[in-house]
Structure formats: C-alpha cells, structure tokens
Amino acid sequence: MWLCREQFFEVAKSQAQKDFQEDPTNAHALVRWGGALLELAHFKQGSDADKCISDAITKLEQALEVDSERTDAEWCLGNAYTSMGFLAADRKTALQHFNKAEDYFKHCKEKEPSNETYKKALEMCKKAPEYYDEIQSQLQQAQAAGAVSGGGSSKKGGEPNEFWWDVAGWVTLGAVIVGVLMLSKGSSPARA
C-alpha cells in the first residue's frame, strides 16, 4: 500500500510540474506540486525528508507570489513548517518552525473563519510544542534504556538518529491523516 501511495504522489508531483511548466502563472499547479512534495517527505528519512519539505515550502511560497489569496497554499505551508518543527533536533529550532506554522494557520482562519479545518489546524499547532517535548522525552528514555541494556549505538536497533526520524515521521503521518480525515468531512481548504 505504501508503495502505491508513494507512486501516486510521484505522479501527482510530475503532473503538477508539467502543468506549471505549461503555464507559469498556474498557482494551483504550484500548490499541488508543493503538496505532493510534502506527502513524499513521509516516505523519506533524514536529510532527504528535510529536502522534500524545503522544496515543498519553496513551491508553496512561489504559489503565494502568483496568487496571494491561496489559503490552500498557506494551509500546506503551515503543515510543512509543523513537519519541520517535529523533525528539528533542538527545541529552539522546533519552536521557530511551529511559530511560522501558527502564523500561516492564523492567516487561513482569518480569511475563512468558519472553516473547521483551519480551526483544528491552529488548535493542533498550538499543542505542537507540548507534543514535541513529549516525543523528545520518550526518545531520551528509549536511548537511556538502550544504553543500559548495552544497545546504545549497535546496528541491531539502527542508528539513534534513524530512530528519531522514524518517530518524527510517524508523528507527521498522524498529523496528515488527521488533516485528510477533516478534509473528507467536507471542509476542504482546496480551491480550483
């Protein structure tokens, strides 16, 4: 199933890229391109995930340059910065990303105050630092337990950094699933 999802988003990215190349004023294609990159980041680890998210941010910001009223681009940017926050190695950097995400979600909510997706995204974003701290605490406990049992840096459990990326990836995936569920309830932020 994961391979099918990854292939789907690769095709979506390629189609959006083609659509944008045909019409460089197509903000919708840029949003689709950035959104596909953001989804593809969930299939990556480490610097590959960071690069996908950074590329998504670039495309989404470019979409806002073409059409500054695209709340779907801002919503995706909020999700991208939230993902970057959870992938950050230190709390200061994570908070900077969470603050950027919150700004984008606030702007979406200001433009469309009745949109439940934007309200929920803002609520979840405000809780992100708490979730980040909990994840970091659990990671430290897991590393301490691994060190006590003699498995601190053995290849058996993988590199500690790989574990961090795995946990962050699952948290990000959870956030995306919640977003998709909210969208499926009829409050989609996407515009044609």
Side-chain angles (χ1 to χ4, degrees), residues 4-147:
C4 292
R5 279 183 45 96
E6 185 176 9
Q7 289 173 337
F8 172 81
F9 289 113
E10 283 291 349
V11 170
K13 178 187 81 167
S14 296
Q15 183 61 48
Q17 184 177 7
K18 179 180 171 258
D19 292 347
F20 178 71
Q21 287 171 342
E22 290 173 3
D23 178 8
T25 63
N26 188 342
H28 183 66
L30 286 165
V31 172
R32 290 188 352 256
W33 190 352
L37 285 166
L38 191 54
E39 291 294 333
L40 287 168
H42 298 114
F43 300 99
K44 314 273 186 220
Q45 288 187 349
S47 62
D48 291 338
D50 280 339
K51 179 162 177 19
C52 252
I53 296 170
S54 294
D55 290 348
I57 289 170
T58 300
K59 295 304 170 195
L60 295 163
E61 287 174 343
Q62 192 176 355
L64 288 175
E65 289 173 13
V66 174
D67 180 357
S68 63
E69 296 301 311
R70 299 236 25 143
T71 52
D72 55 345
E74 292 175 310
W75 184 76
C76 286
L77 279 162
N79 286 317
Y81 280 111
T82 300
S83 296
M84 291 293 279
F86 281 113
L87 295 176
D90 64 274
R91 191 172 201 283
K92 181 181 177 185
T93 303
L95 290 176
Q96 290 171 343
H97 291 304
F98 294 145
N99 288 337
K100 284 183 185 178
E102 186 174 346
D103 289 343
Y104 280 112
F105 291 139
K106 278 181 183 176
H107 200 243
C108 288
K109 189 175 174 247
E110 288 168 4
K111 284 183 175 179
E112 296 181 33
S114 64
N115 187 308
E116 288 299 317
T117 299
Y118 299 152
K119 288 178 187 177
K120 282 288 186 198
L122 185 56
E123 288 173 22
M124 294 301 292
C125 187
K126 287 181 179 185
K127 295 177 183 178
E130 180 183 328
Y131 295 144
Y132 178 85
D133 291 341
E134 181 62 31
I135 291 167
Q136 295 305 313
S137 173
Q138 290 179 10
L139 288 172
Q140 289 172 354
Q141 290 173 5
Q143 287 179 334

